[in-house]
């Protein structure tokens, strides 16, 4: 694989590197903490850096506890199927804070998502109702970004949905594989990779973006 030159119209989107998705968290993703080092290394090289933060109301509609159901069951919401999750990333709690070792002082924008009580939002662009915009597409366009590199947690949910909606919004998109980890629920990782490939989302590794 060849080096990829980072350009003035590139943006890095760091997805949901929060305590609840990391070791000991309420919805811990296997080996999640390993994304921190590559993300810390990548961020200083990007002219535009955005971090996203899953940010739910207490009793959020994506929580199994709100429906007296078990985590990882699937229910039908007005906007479509919804995986039910353990309570996680409740706004203002420690679980919603960024991983303590995530060291990205150059991040310029934090996009919070999933704060409408009745609607989930895996994507950093569009809520699960497929209609409500977060404002990220407009922000990136106004900052002059044309190509986005997406990484973080979890590959098969928030990273994939962000990458797919980024394509739909007209951005060139590349997922940085080694800076992502997956939940992998019933084949969701393989499905996410298939969907991303079909949509024209590229894949790369951080070593090809870093100098040296
Ligand atoms: C996520 C499940 C629920 C994610 C967020 O960040 O991938 N997954 N909320
Ligand atoms: Zn969530």
């Amino acid at each position: 694989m060849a080096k990829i030159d980072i350009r003035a119209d590139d943006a890095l989107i760091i997805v949901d590197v929060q305590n609840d998705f990391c070791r000991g968290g309420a919805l811990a993703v296997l080996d999640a903490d390993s994304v921190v080092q590559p993300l810390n290394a990548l961020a200083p090289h990007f002219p535009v850096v955005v971090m996203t933060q899953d940010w739910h109301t207490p009793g959020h509609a994506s929580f199994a506890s709100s429906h007296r159901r078990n985590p990882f069951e699937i229910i039908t919401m007005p906007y479509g199927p919804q995986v039910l999750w353990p309570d996680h990333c409740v706004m203002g709690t420690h679980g919603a804070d960024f991983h303590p070792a995530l060291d990205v002082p150059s991040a310029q924008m934090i996009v919070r998502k999933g704060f409408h009580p009745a609607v989930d939002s895996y994507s950093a662009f569009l809520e699960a109702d497929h209609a409500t915009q977060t404002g990220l597409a407009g922000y990136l366009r106004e900052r002059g970004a044309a190509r986005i590199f997406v990484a973080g947690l979890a590959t098969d949910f928030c990273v994939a949905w962000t990458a797919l909606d980024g394509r739909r919004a007209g951005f060139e998109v590349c997922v940085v594989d080694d800076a992502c980890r997956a939940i992998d629920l019933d084949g969701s990782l393989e499905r996410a990779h298939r969907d991303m490939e079909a949509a024209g989302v590229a894949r790369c590794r951080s070593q090809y973006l870093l100098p040296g």
Side-chain angles (χ1 to χ4, degrees), residues 124-198:
F125 289 98
L126 210 55
E127 297 189 19
D129 62 2
H130 308 293
T132 308
Q133 301 270 353
T134 63
L136 179 58
Y139 175 79
L140 290 172
R141 264 184 227 116
E142 291 186 8
R143 293 288 317 277
R147 184 170 67 168
I148 61 174
F149 290 81
V150 185
L153 306 170
T155 322
D156 42 346
F157 288 92
C158 292
V159 170
W161 288 48
T162 297
L164 289 166
D165 280 344
R167 284 294 292 154
R168 291 183 193 109
F171 296 96
E172 200 181 324
V173 183
C174 186
V175 168
V176 188
D177 278 333
D178 59 301
C180 299
R181 290 296 182 278
I183 295 173
D184 203 9
L185 206 60
D186 298 324
S188 55
L189 180 59
E190 199 189 313
R191 209 155 48 238
H193 278 308
R194 227 185 303 122
D195 292 348
M196 288 194 283
E197 184 171 3

Side-chain angles (χ1 to χ4, degrees), residues 48-198:
V48 176
V49 181
V50 174
M51 305 212 289
T52 76
Q53 207 170 15
D54 212 37
W55 198 253
H56 298 307
T57 49
H60 191 261
S62 73
F63 296 170
S65 63
S66 307
H67 306 271
R68 300 173 191 281
R69 303 290 284 268
N70 293 314
F72 311 110
E73 285 184 36
I74 298 172
I75 62 164
T76 303
M77 298 282 278
Y79 52 78
Q82 171 73 52
V83 180
L84 294 177
W85 304 105
D87 290 23
H88 66 280
C89 297
V90 173
M91 46 180 64
T93 64
H94 172 79
D97 288 345
F98 293 115
H99 188 294
L102 186 69
D103 185 19
V104 185
S106 63
Q108 301 131 0
M109 173 75 159
I110 295 170
V111 176
R112 289 175 169 168
K113 59 185 182 61
F115 51 78
H116 289 122
V119 186
D120 206 359
S121 189
Y122 298 146
S123 163
F125 289 98
L126 210 55
E127 297 189 19
D129 62 2
H130 308 293
T132 308
Q133 301 270 353
T134 63
L136 179 58
Y139 175 79
L140 290 172
R141 264 184 227 116
E142 291 186 8
R143 293 288 317 277
R147 184 170 67 168
I148 61 174
F149 290 81
V150 185
L153 306 170
T155 322
D156 42 346
F157 288 92
C158 292
V159 170
W161 288 48
T162 297
L164 289 166
D165 280 344
R167 284 294 292 154
R168 291 183 193 109
F171 296 96
E172 200 181 324
V173 183
C174 186
V175 168
V176 188
D177 278 333
D178 59 301
C180 299
R181 290 296 182 278
I183 295 173
D184 203 9
L185 206 60
D186 298 324
S188 55
L189 180 59
E190 199 189 313
R191 209 155 48 238
H193 278 308
R194 227 185 303 122
D195 292 348
M196 288 194 283
E197 184 171 3

